[in-house]
Amino acid sequence: MAQTLQPTSSSSSVPQNLVLPESESETDPAYSISAFDEPQNPNQNLISTPTQTPTLLHLSFNQDYGCFAVGTDMGFRIYNCDPFREIFRRDFGMRGGIGLVQMLFRCNILALVGGGACPQYPINKVMIWDDHQSRCIGELSFRSEVKGVRLRRDRIVVVLVQKIFVYNFADLKLLHQIETIANPKGLCEVSHVSSPVVLVCPGLQKGQVRVEHYGSKRTKFIMAHDSRIACFSLTQDGRLLATASSKGTLVRIYNTLDGSLLQEVRRGADRAEIYSLAFSSTAQWLAVSSDKGTVHVFSLKVDSGLLANDLSRTTPDSSLSNPSAIPSLSFMKGVLPKYFSSEWSVAQFHLQEGLQHIVAFGHQKNVVVILGMDGSFYRCEFNPANGGEMNQLEYYNFLKPEQTF
């Protein structure tokens, strides 16, 4: 049974009875499953902490945004967000690059993929790491590079450039395969708190998003944008979807069940590369980061509780006819250019332009956590009543611990 990285009040955040198969005979040559049966020295792949500063290869939050994982050219690290502190690190040396790290809440089981100039593991394999044993206990192997991994308590989702595999977590049995348009960023999201799994991935057309509702066995295709999809995010329950295109000017909020457009907000007028989108836990706020160096927070007018009750009765027309779910100046659509009738952010935080940052909402009210590929960690507070620039509460550089403000 998997155990937690540190004491936690809920045992439901860990997978039960994780057993890897001793052998598998699969007909699809695109992948294979194997387990490590021979006893291994738990510390044989670990070395003493290197003195030089590692190069960052990957950043990702865990499912509840309380922790984040860091992949470097020397190994990986796990940090707690509030209070900020390093939970643990595993250093593999100069040839130990980890290009992808995915946590499962605060569980000791992680998914690792090699990366960088000298990867620790092949880039076409997902390694299942048990940190209590400090070793890999299984792997999923593919014929091409792994672009992304997503974990649920009951599922492992592996993203290749044009294909997605969905596995059962307990026995690594393949459950579903999905064909996608070219997906070099490894875009894919899954719900975490709902029992029926909701999965979102790119469709087969430019600008299209595919939504899989595994509980009802329904597939919904949403033509979200005219240009290619650059980024998207799901609420924890999988009911709301935020999407951004390669233009990076608009972010759209959709109902995942019927595909209806609920709201549209504007990041800016100039093209931008959207790095991340994040809903708050109540879906009251949406945070956006981009290469323009500004993190925006938008107010959402979608009542997630009402949406949950009315999903069965919602149609595209009725969703858009709800006055609280459309831009406040939409009655001027025929008069003013779309730019002037857009909804703008209520708060902003300015960072180094061009540097990749990802964003999430903290566990405290109106707090945003920002991670940068330079090792920066920011915790900021915004005041929705006053708007404007967010107040920086905390700053650390987790690659250079002496740099703290």
Side-chain angles (χ1 to χ4, degrees), residues 256-311:
T256 60
L257 189 65
D258 61 19
S260 59
L261 175 63
L262 301 175
Q263 191 173 348
E264 181 178 274
V265 298
R266 180 173 289 275
R267 180 212 56 81
D270 299 330
R271 294 181 70 101
E273 181 179 358
I274 302 298
Y275 289 138
S276 71
L277 302 169
F279 287 95
S280 64
S281 59
T282 60
Q284 182 182 4
W285 311 105
L286 178 75
V288 181
S289 66
S290 73
D291 64 348
K292 294 297 183 181
T294 304
V295 170
H296 295 268
V297 173
F298 296 91
S299 174
L300 299 184
K301 298 177 173 61
V302 178
D303 187 327
S304 58
L306 183 63
L307 181 65
N309 295 330
D310 293 346
L311 275 179

Side-chain angles (χ1 to χ4, degrees), residues 72-263:
T72 76
D73 60 349
M74 300 179 185
F76 69 93
R77 306 176 183 185
I78 305 296
Y79 293 86
N80 192 70
C81 290
D82 188 14
F84 175 82
R85 64 183 179 88
E86 182 178 302
I87 299 177
F88 71 88
R89 68 172 66 187
R90 299 293 175 252
D91 293 310
F92 300 123
M94 298 301 296
R95 303 183 65 84
I98 299 295
L100 294 173
V101 191
Q102 285 295 319
M103 299 179 66
L104 180 61
F105 292 89
R106 291 176 179 267
C107 173
N108 58 293
I109 302 296
L110 299 96
L112 307 177
V113 179
C118 300
Q120 170 73 4
Y121 307 110
I123 61 175
N124 66 322
K125 291 186 177 183
V126 177
M127 312 302 294
I128 310 301
W129 174 275
D130 181 351
D131 201 68
H132 282 177
Q133 301 183 54
S134 294
R135 68 181 182 97
C136 291
I137 58 173
E139 67 181 47
L140 296 168
S141 183
F142 303 88
R143 295 175 61 183
S144 61
E145 181 180 355
V146 175
K147 295 295 185 178
V149 182
R150 298 292 181 269
L151 300 182
R152 272 179 55 108
R153 297 181 181 106
D154 55 356
R155 297 289 184 271
I156 300 177
V157 180
V158 181
V159 186
L160 307 185
V161 71
Q162 286 188 301
K163 203 165 190 178
I164 292 176
F165 295 89
V166 181
Y167 297 90
N168 186 49
F169 206 132
D171 55 11
L172 299 185
K173 179 182 178 181
L174 179 65
L175 302 177
H176 193 201
Q177 300 181 42
I178 302 172
E179 301 282 347
T180 70
I181 196 171
N183 183 17
K185 290 185 176 182
L187 300 178
C188 182
E189 296 296 338
V190 292
S191 60
H192 296 295
V193 300
S194 60
S195 180
V197 183
V198 179
L199 180 147
V200 176
C201 63
L204 288 169
Q205 303 177 40
K206 181 180 66 174
Q208 184 185 68
V209 175
R210 174 173 179 158
V211 184
E212 290 289 336
H213 294 273
Y214 287 100
S216 59
K217 298 181 180 179
R218 295 175 58 188
T219 301
K220 185 69 183 179
F221 291 94
I222 302 173
M223 284 305 303
H225 300 273
D226 294 330
S227 50
R228 65 175 177 83
I229 301 295
C231 190
F232 51 69
S233 179
L234 267 180
T235 50
Q236 294 277 328
D237 57 14
R239 293 182 178 125
L240 299 178
L241 168 69
T243 67
S245 75
S246 56
K247 291 183 179 179
T249 54
L250 297 172
V251 177
R252 291 173 175 150
I253 316 300
Y254 291 93
N255 174 342
T256 60
L257 189 65
D258 61 19
S260 59
L261 175 63
L262 301 175
Q263 191 173 348

